[in-house]
Amino acid sequence: MELNQLTIKNAKGGLKAKKFSSVELTKACLEQIKKHNRELNAFITITEEDALEQAKKADNLASQGQAWETKPLLGIPIALKDLFSTKGMKTTAASNVLKDYVPEYDATVVKKLKDAGAIILGKLNHDAWGHGASGENSDFGPTKNPWNKEYVPGGSSSGSAVSVASDMCIAATGTDTGGSSRQPASFCNIVGLKPTYGRVSRYGIISMASSLDSIGHITKTVEDSALFLNVTAGKDANDATTSSKPVPDYLKDLKKGIRGLKLGISRKDLENVDDEVKKPFLFAEKQLKDLGAEIIDINLKYSDYAIACYYIIQPSEVSSNLARYDGVRFGSVRQNFGEEAKRRIMLGTFTLSAGYYDAYYRKAMQVRTLIKQDFENAFKQVDAIISPVSPTLPWKLGEKINDPLKMYLSDILTVTANLAGIPGLSVPIGFSKGLPVGMQILGQQFSEAKLFQIGHAYEQTTEWHKMKPIL
Ligand code: GLN
């Protein structure tokens, strides 16, 4: 196995045992980026010199011993979605509006990752501002799916998923406002996490829709996801929506198994799922049963309204958040907004305007409450809920880009978690037509440890997550 193919856990093991250095590990990732980024277009900015400098420092610290106690990611090369503010490093939001913007400070998550010893390799491509499900809305060009370069890698965290799936980095950050970490992870055969709203600080992340935005993690295994969340979770004085609930050790219950756990499935929501996705999902259901889980049918009554509800609340908040890019204070002129951002600004301005607010925004907020209650009721019966991540396989580049409604409908299974503020973990469950399929595990607020427990148990019985695309 090449060094850049390692997981966080194994890379850490190798570094600790001095089998290789962080400089060697970082160079292996940079080599892979040089070989494949031109074609896959995962990175917007590559910070080679800086990364090597950091790696040298990490090696020095490691040679002094003890450093891993306080620096759990010491020497591990990771990459950041370009929505994360990075001090002195260009942060574009994948939009021409911010193409030359260099922030004065680090996002809290970036600071935490740096403090934990991680090496930052650069900034990753995505749908501009986080708007999209295919990666094609980037002003820096579309990212390609490494499993088939004619297909989309999912979005909006397209570069995050592709950089991890093609081993250009060991792990990456994403964001998830309506599925943007879970869906691209699923399209690229890797693991995506959307934590509970308020579990990880949003400070310094360029806002999309503030009441729905979550930070996401993209990793090669479930265990890595737990390791990553151990670093990023927690209260932040700079983000009033972060919770002061204590952060557990997410690795603690990982190996507990799932015997006796109750997993819910909403069968009605499977009706709109394509057979190529349904088949691997039903097989995964059987595997979970074999592991000792009890499967229980549940009814999410209001899930049919989730897309309509999300696509009112989300553009409403987008129109407010993007109003600050007026060309006076940040970035360049408003003419540089892309088509999709303009569409959402107009939609949101409409739904919030006097006369329409009650009919659209307030109604949507009421439906949001019903969706949240749906989940609360379900979690009285079950420990977690499983479903496919996406109703379809990855689609061809260009296939939906001129049909926004079709693109929006692909979010049908993921947006509910954001509306309810609950966590979701997506794991690889197989392939159809050579393209990856993913399953999401949803849980009650702050139940990430349980999601890792379920995801890890499943992962141990399958080989899917070990499969690599031929680049
Ligand atoms: N695809 C969804 C949208 O376009 C979700 C995006 C996200 O999670 N950032 O809004």
Side-chain angles (χ1 to χ4, degrees):
M1 189 179 267
E2 306 290 331
L3 292 183
N4 52 305
Q5 294 182 319
L6 293 172
T7 59
I8 298 180
K9 186 187 169 203
N10 293 339
K12 211 171 144 174
L15 287 169
K16 269 185 174 176
K18 301 206 167 20
K19 286 193 187 141
F20 48 82
S21 65
S22 173
V23 168
E24 286 168 319
L25 181 61
T26 304
K27 275 189 179 159
C29 292
L30 288 166
E31 255 335 285
Q32 184 77 346
I33 295 171
K34 273 183 204 153
K35 261 196 230 156
H36 299 290
N37 192 52
R38 189 180 296 264
E39 191 175 17
L40 296 173
N41 201 21
F43 279 82
I44 292 177
T45 304
I46 303 161
T47 50
E48 177 168 2
E49 255 173 58
D50 205 39
L52 287 171
E53 200 56 44
Q54 296 305 317
K56 253 184 236 157
K57 279 193 194 146
D59 283 335
N60 273 338
L61 269 182
S63 66
Q64 293 160 24
Q66 289 302 309
W68 268 283
E69 311 273 303
T70 50
K71 297 196 176 295
L73 295 177
L74 187 63
I76 307 287
I78 62 150
L80 305 167
K81 185 173 184 176
D82 214 8
L83 279 176
F84 286 65
S85 298
T86 39
K87 189 175 177 180
M89 191 188 289
K90 220 165 53 173
T91 300
T92 66
S95 167
N96 280 332
V97 173
L98 291 183
K99 72 177 188 310
D100 300 313
Y101 171 59
V102 179
E104 293 290 331
Y105 69 102
D106 278 330
T108 297
V109 170
V110 175
K111 184 173 179 311
K112 285 189 172 204
L113 290 168
K114 285 183 178 172
D115 288 347
I119 312 299
I120 313 290
L121 291 171
K123 307 295 291 288
L124 298 160
N125 204 357
H126 56 91
D127 291 290
W129 311 104
H131 303 166
S134 70
E136 292 162 290
N137 288 332
S138 167
D139 287 345
F140 294 80
T143 307
K144 314 271 172 66
N145 191 317
W147 291 93
N148 185 333
K149 291 165 199 124
E150 287 175 15
Y151 285 74
V152 302
S156 66
S157 309
S158 51
S160 308
V162 171
S163 63
V164 175
S166 60
D167 296 306
M168 294 174 175
C169 59
I170 307 298
T173 65
T175 60
D176 193 312
T177 300
S180 278
S181 286
R182 288 163 287 156
Q183 185 254 24
S186 149
F187 278 16
C188 294
N189 196 48
I190 45 176
V191 174
L193 174 73
K194 175 223 174 287
T196 305
Y197 185 80
R199 179 76 295 185
V200 179
S201 170
R202 292 179 293 114
Y203 178 69
I205 315 300
I206 294 174
S207 305
M208 178 176 161
S210 306
S211 80
L212 300 159
D213 287 349
S214 290
I215 301 325
H217 301 328
I218 311 267
T219 55
K220 296 175 190 177
T221 62
V222 173
E223 186 163 5
D224 275 8
S225 193
L227 246 154
F228 211 120
L229 187 63
N230 268 351
V231 173
T232 58
K235 177 84 189 153
D236 178 12
N238 287 326
D239 175 358
T241 64
T242 48
S243 166
S244 46
K245 244 185 197 310
V247 178
D249 176 1
Y250 291 108
L251 290 167
K252 199 171 127 271
D253 291 340
L254 197 70
K255 301 193 170 122
K256 259 186 158 175
I258 56 169
R259 188 153 299 283
L261 285 192
K262 294 187 175 117
L263 302 180
I265 297 183
S266 174
R267 301 277 167 199
K268 129 179 113 62
D269 293 322
L270 291 179
E271 279 164 23
N272 303 319
V273 174
D274 286 355
D275 278 344
E276 294 105 339
V277 174
K278 214 186 291 175
K279 257 198 211 142
F281 175 72
L282 294 177
F283 192 68
E285 176 194 346
K286 191 185 156 304
Q287 287 172 299
L288 288 164
K289 249 196 237 163
D290 291 345
L291 287 168
E294 187 186 340
I295 306 288
I296 294 178
D297 284 0
I298 54 157
N299 182 12
L300 296 173
K301 282 195 295 235
Y302 297 100
S303 57
D304 294 349
Y305 303 102
I307 280 291
C309 174
Y310 172 85
Y311 275 99
I312 289 172
I313 295 172
Q314 173 261 113
S316 301
E317 294 186 19
V318 163
S319 72
S320 161
N321 274 327
L322 293 187
R324 76 187 63 144
Y325 303 102
D326 51 12
V328 178
R329 288 165 296 173
F330 304 89
S332 57
V333 291
R334 283 185 289 184
Q335 278 72 5
N336 280 330
F337 273 120
E339 287 301 304
E340 186 59 27
K342 283 187 201 158
R343 184 177 294 118
R344 293 189 193 211
I345 293 168
M346 286 172 66
L347 262 173
T349 314
F350 178 78
T351 50
L352 289 179
S353 56
Y356 293 107
Y357 180 93
D358 287 320
Y360 295 108
Y361 185 74
R362 188 190 301 277
K363 257 278 160 317
M365 287 303 275
Q366 287 166 339
V367 176
R368 180 178 193 173
T369 302
L370 293 174
I371 289 172
K372 191 161 174 276
Q373 286 168 355
D374 243 1
F375 278 115
E376 280 161 7
N377 288 332
F379 290 129
K380 285 182 191 148
Q381 294 176 60
V382 295
D383 295 289
I385 295 169
I386 54 169
S387 82
V389 176
S390 161
T392 68
L393 289 175
W395 52 90
K396 273 204 157 154
L397 284 154
E399 196 179 316
K400 297 189 185 179
I401 197 68
N402 295 319
D403 191 344
L405 285 182
K406 223 176 180 181
M407 187 81 89
Y408 296 169
L409 280 174
S410 67
D411 301 330
I412 180 88
L413 297 168
T414 46
V415 295
T416 49
N418 301 75
L419 289 166
I422 60 173
L425 179 72
S426 111
V427 293
I429 56 166
F431 288 80
S432 285
K433 300 182 173 163
L435 294 163
V437 179
M439 164 176 76
Q440 68 176 342
I441 311 165
L442 304 177
Q444 289 184 57
Q445 291 194 344
F446 301 100
S447 69
E448 285 84 355
K450 188 158 282 164
L451 304 189
F452 292 139
Q453 185 185 332
I454 299 166
H456 181 75
Y458 171 80
E459 199 180 66
Q460 298 318 296
T461 62
T462 67
E463 298 286 315
W464 304 120
H465 64 288
K466 293 186 187 154
M467 294 182 65
K468 299 278 181 195
I470 299 164
L471 296 173

